[in-house]
Amino acid sequence: MKRIHLDQAASSFPKAPGVSDAMKRFLDESGANIARGSYKAAIEAEERVFETRSLLARLFHAPDAKNVIFTGGATTALNMILRGFLHPGDHVLVSAFEHNAVMRPLTLMQKDGVIFDVIPASADGGMHLADADAFVTTQTKAIIMTHASNVTGAVMPVREAGLFSKEYGLKLIVDTAQTAGILPVDMEAFGIDALAFSGHKGLLGPQGVGGMVVTDEMASMMTPLIAGGTGSFSHLYEMPDVLPDRFEAGTLNLPGICGLEAALLFLREVHPEVFAGAQEDASLQAEGIYARETELYARLLSGIDAINEEAGKECIRVIRPQCACVPLLSIAFKDHDQGEVARQLEEKYGILTRVGLHCAPAAHHASGTFPDGTIRFSFGAFHTEEDADSAVLALHEMVIDRWKLRQD
Ligand SMILES: Cc1ncc(COP(=O)(O)O)c(C=O)c1O
């Protein structure tokens, strides 16, 4: 049975061509650390890291490659940003769709006197910024928001949040785990002060690598969460002031960075539109990865609509925001256990989905799917129409055929 990985929002599979080769080459032929040796392999490893940083700076329209800081993933980066930037008594605003990568650090930090308020969801399933000024106090320091919900797919109004932040003198912190590599993320045009990214989802790289991008001003306002050796300024007991060293203590995941570089080179060649700035030609997007994946999303959606129509009732509830969405679709069953449906999708049809709360209970509260959660289908760069049709056929068989059998 063919395995159909419809769980790209959790982690991409397959990875971009060249990723595993680049990782293997580094492990088999180099193994050197950066900034610690003056021999050829160390200098070559340094070049790989610099090139990857530069690609990411271009992808995110960052001020400079030095502003890109590698971490183990978006979660570590968000912890570093939140813990490095906020102090007791500070207040922040968050969207109603935050992942636990934001909610759990903030909840822990409540014990240290950090306060947060949730900006309500808008009627279209996005973020209701219009009344957000009511939450701003003299202690408010930042808006923290996901660029797109990993539960509903809804794309949040980042550009508007950037304008709002500037108006109120707040910093804008964005979690791009669900958009990087799919939609343009333009730090400069959107007015983003700090963002976190994940290397293993839309960027098609390996697990265990991601990072943050911070403006110089934001970096100057942040204390490093992790301190240690950087291979630079070794006479100092304090962390160096320069970027990226200030936030990169210890040995980086160099095989992971080599893999991410290969993935970014693939994306730049095959999907240059994800590197495009917010101001650039919209026709680039019309042909791009987002448009292709959205077609698959629409195919699955209309297949599910047809199943409900045939059943004459809403057997499958679709979580369908009315705003723009990334290509992930959450569904819920009233009369079936979601875990059992997901298990059968894998065992009988080879379709891999994510079931439950997807580490984002807040988004389920906002969507009315708490505590049961949803079954989430998410598309990636290598999916075909056949994959979307397989999901529809499987759901049809599970819902209609067996339901009919039960009626006879
Ligand atoms: C919205 C969102 N934020 C953060 C994360 C965590 O990313 P990482 O695996 O890179 O730590 C995820 C991954 O599930 C996510 O969907």
Side-chain angles (χ1 to χ4, degrees), residues 163-350:
L163 294 173
F164 182 92
S165 302
K166 297 298 154 283
E167 191 183 337
Y168 289 90
L170 315 178
K171 296 289 176 228
L172 178 62
I173 301 168
V174 180
D175 173 0
T176 70
Q178 292 299 337
T179 50
I182 299 167
L183 284 175
V185 181
D186 187 331
M187 253 185 116
E188 205 187 338
F190 296 166
I192 297 173
D193 298 282
L195 65 79
F197 67 92
S198 184
H200 66 105
K201 298 177 192 272
L203 293 182
L204 306 176
Q207 284 99 341
V209 65
M212 61 182 182
V213 190
V214 289
T215 61
D216 288 340
E217 192 201 2
M218 187 73 183
S220 72
M221 298 167 87
M222 285 168 57
T223 309
L225 179 63
I226 312 282
T230 55
S232 59
F233 305 93
S234 295
H235 60 291
L236 296 177
Y237 288 128
E238 290 88 34
M239 285 299 284
D241 269 339
V242 297
L243 293 177
D245 306 30
R246 187 163 175 71
F247 299 102
E248 276 183 359
T251 298
L252 295 177
N253 175 359
L254 296 173
I257 290 172
C258 290
L260 182 58
E261 182 192 17
L264 290 164
L265 289 172
F266 167 82
L267 277 176
R268 194 180 62 176
E269 193 184 322
V270 182
H271 298 293
E273 80 285 350
V274 294
F275 281 77
Q279 325 288 6
E280 284 170 65
D281 190 357
S283 65
L284 268 176
Q285 306 302 332
E287 300 286 306
I289 199 165
Y290 175 68
R292 262 208 56 234
E293 292 178 13
T294 300
E295 272 171 32
L296 302 181
Y297 167 99
R299 209 173 167 94
L300 175 60
L301 190 60
S302 66
I304 293 174
D305 282 345
I307 293 172
N308 280 334
E309 206 169 305
E310 193 177 335
K313 62 174 186 174
E314 195 193 34
C315 290
I316 305 174
R317 180 179 164 211
V318 180
I319 317 308
R320 189 187 319 218
Q322 297 305 306
C323 55
C325 285
V326 288
L328 66 87
L329 185 67
S330 265
I331 61 171
F333 287 84
K334 274 193 216 106
D335 311 327
H336 296 75
D337 177 64
Q338 328 274 17
E340 179 54 23
V341 175
R343 193 183 63 76
Q344 289 195 24
L345 280 171
E346 177 177 9
E347 279 181 8
K348 296 209 168 101
Y349 308 97

